[in-house]
């Protein structure tokens, strides 16, 4: 927010959408998309029983981000939701993707330092 000339404390007192905030949200969504892609590779390494739920959450949160982007990166004026039909598609996609074997993408995109242990 500081990079865009916004004072976070002042914004919290009076939250409002603005072109500067839209640029912040756009950057955050782009970063989230990068992290979603990295996570997709690792999800196949999780225990099979937990994969669908985690994949579904990933797709639903990405869907919320897509809706915010469609609204001009306005995450303040109204609540962004994923339509029921899109939730159904996300569930189907999560279930199918959960059958994938572990990905070789992990070798290309090793864990970030923040997540490595």
């Amino acid at each position: 927010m500081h990079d865009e000339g916004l004072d976070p404390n002042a914004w919290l007192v009076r939250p409002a959408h603005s072109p500067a905030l839209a640029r912040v949200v756009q950057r955050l969504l782009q970063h989230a998309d990068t992290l979603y892609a990295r996570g997709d590779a690792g999800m196949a390494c999780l225990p099979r029983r937990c994969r669908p739920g985690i994949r579904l959450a990933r797709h639903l949160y990405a869907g919320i981000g897509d809706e915010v982007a469609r609204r001009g990166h306005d995450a303040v004026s109204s609540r962004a939701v994923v339509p029921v039909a899109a939730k159904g598609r996300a569930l189907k996609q999560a279930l199918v993707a959960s059958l994938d074997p572990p990905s070789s993408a992990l070798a290309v995109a090793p864990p970030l330092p923040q997540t490595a242990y």
Side-chain angles (χ1 to χ4, degrees), residues 44-85:
C45 297
L46 295 172
R48 192 174 298 273
R49 289 184 61 192
C50 70
R51 292 179 203 169
I54 293 172
R55 284 189 183 277
L56 178 59
R58 172 260 190 264
H59 289 291
L60 293 179
Y61 282 109
I64 291 169
D66 292 343
E67 181 61 26
V68 169
R70 276 191 289 280
R71 296 178 181 195
H73 298 96
D74 182 355
V76 180
S77 300
S78 62
R79 186 174 181 195
V81 296
V82 177
V84 173

